[in-house]
Amino acid sequence: MSFGYVNKLESFGSVDGPGIRFVVFLQGCPMRCKFCHNPETWKFAAPSEPAMDHTGAMKVTAEELFAKAIRYKGYWGIDGGITVSGGEPLMQLDFLIEFFTLAKTAGVHTCIDTSGVNFTRDTGVPQTAKTTFEKFQKLLAVTDLLLVDIKHIDAGVHKELTGHDNANIIDFFRYLDEIHKPIWIRHVLVPGISDNDEALIRTRDFIRTLHNVERVDVLPYHAFALGKYAELGIDYALKDTLSPTAERVQNANEILETGKYTRWKLGSK
C-alpha cells in the first residue's frame, strides 16, 4: 500500500476529459512553467508528515481516495469518470497505479492530465529507469485517456519556458502513439512565446505524425493566477503578457487544424 499526496479535489469537473469528471489534483511538480495556474501544487509533500504536511497536501491511501470519488458516480453518465491532474501526477506512480486499478475494477473511465516530464524507457538505461518504465506500462494499462500538452515544440524555448528539455516528452508522445493510447492535446497560446506561426507549424507537423489524437485544443493564455503567485511570494514572469487576440487564437486553430479532431467536443456529452 502506498500513500498519495492530494492538493485538492473537484467534484464536478467539465473540462478535464469527456463528460463530468471527479478531478484529483496531486501535489508536487518538477516543472516551473511560466504560465502555470496551479503554483500551489509545485512543492513536493513530505512523506514523514501524518495527515497533512507543510504544503497543505492531504495524505491518503488509494482506497480512501477512491471511496471519496465513487460517491459521485451517479453524476458521471456514460462518458464521465475520474481525472488525475496536478502538479504532475506521474511523479506518484505507485499510488496512481493502485488508484486507477480500483477505478477500472469498478468500471470507471480513467484519465491523466500530464506533461510527461518524467517519462523514460528502459532501453540502455539504469535499472531504476527500467523499473520506472515498467510502472508506466502498468499505469497505462489501467488508463483510458491522457490529456497532454505541447508547451513548445522547440527544445530550447521549452526549457526556458518550463525549466526542462522536451526530448523525453516528445518520446512520451511517440510511445503513447505506439501503444495506441488515446490522447487529447492542449496547447497554451502565449503571445511572444508560443503564439508564433513557425512554432505552430512545427507543432502541427509533429501532431500529424501521431495516430492516437482524439482532440486538439488551443488554450488562450490568461493571467488569472496572478493573485496566487502574489500570495505565495513567487514572482510571476508573465505579469506583463496580455492574452492573445481572438484573431491570433483563430490563426492557431487553423494552423493546428483543431477542426479535424471532432470525436469529442467539450460540453457535447
Side-chain angles (χ1 to χ4, degrees):
M1 179 183 69
S2 59
F3 289 96
Y5 299 88
V6 178
N7 180 274
K8 61 183 177 181
L9 303 172
E10 184 177 326
S11 303
F12 297 94
S14 60
V15 295
D16 298 285
I20 301 299
R21 319 291 300 180
F22 184 89
V23 187
V24 179
F25 294 86
L26 294 185
Q27 185 70 37
C29 183
M31 300 185 86
R32 292 295 181 267
C33 303
K34 291 182 179 179
F35 54 73
C36 179
H37 57 271
N38 288 324
E40 71 277 13
T41 67
W42 286 354
K43 289 184 179 180
F44 284 92
S48 59
E49 296 289 341
M52 188 170 288
D53 78 340
H54 68 291
T55 66
M58 298 178 288
K59 181 178 180 180
V60 296
T61 65
E63 290 80 5
E64 290 170 337
L65 182 59
F66 186 68
K68 292 178 182 289
I70 199 64
R71 292 183 297 175
Y72 297 90
K73 187 176 183 180
Y75 298 98
W76 299 339
I78 60 173
D79 295 320
I82 296 173
T83 296
V84 177
S85 184
E88 175 46 65
L90 297 187
M91 298 302 293
Q92 299 190 44
L93 283 172
D94 292 327
F95 174 76
L96 201 46
I97 291 168
E98 291 182 23
F99 182 52
F100 271 12
T101 298
L102 290 171
K104 293 314 299 175
T105 300
V108 176
H109 183 276
T110 55
C111 176
I112 302 174
D113 182 359
T114 177
S115 69
V117 64
N118 62 324
F119 175 75
T120 183
R121 304 203 196 208
D122 62 348
T123 305
V125 294
Q127 181 62 37
T128 53
K130 180 177 180 180
T131 301
T132 299
F133 182 66
E134 290 171 349
K135 290 179 180 179
F136 273 114
Q137 291 176 306
K138 289 181 180 179
L139 175 59
L140 292 172
V142 289
T143 302
D144 294 307
L145 173 70
L146 292 99
L147 309 181
V148 288
D149 55 341
I150 300 176
K151 299 179 188 299
H152 205 288
I153 198 66
D154 181 87
V157 178
H158 189 282
K159 187 168 185 177
E160 182 181 349
L161 182 62
T162 71
H164 283 262
D165 187 81
N166 66 356
N168 68 314
I169 293 173
I170 293 297
D171 189 43
F172 182 55
F173 274 81
R174 297 204 179 282
Y175 178 69
L176 294 174
D177 186 36
E178 290 168 17
I179 65 173
H180 312 294
K181 186 63 64 174
I183 63 173
W184 290 9
I185 294 177
R186 301 190 286 189
H187 185 63
V188 180
L189 192 68
V190 185
I193 301 178
S194 57
D195 185 7
N196 172 292
D197 283 6
E198 180 183 356
L200 289 168
I201 290 169
R202 288 177 59 192
T203 301
R204 177 203 64 198
D205 291 345
F206 172 67
I207 293 173
R208 284 178 175 178
T209 69
L210 307 174
H211 308 87
N212 59 334
V213 181
E214 292 190 347
R215 282 186 62 90
V216 176
D217 291 299
V218 172
L219 306 181
Y221 162 80
H222 60 73
F224 294 165
L226 188 57
K228 289 185 180 181
Y229 283 80
E231 185 177 342
L232 293 168
I234 302 173
D235 181 56
Y236 188 61
L238 302 181
K239 56 180 174 290
D240 296 322
T241 301
L242 300 177
S243 297
T245 64
E247 291 75 17
R248 291 305 298 174
V249 174
Q250 179 61 28
N251 176 71
N253 274 300
E254 291 175 358
I255 292 177
L256 295 180
E257 304 172 323
T258 59
K260 287 175 52 178
Y261 306 92
T262 57
R263 177 173 176 181
W264 291 102
K265 289 188 177 181
L266 292 177
S268 68
K269 294 292 182 179

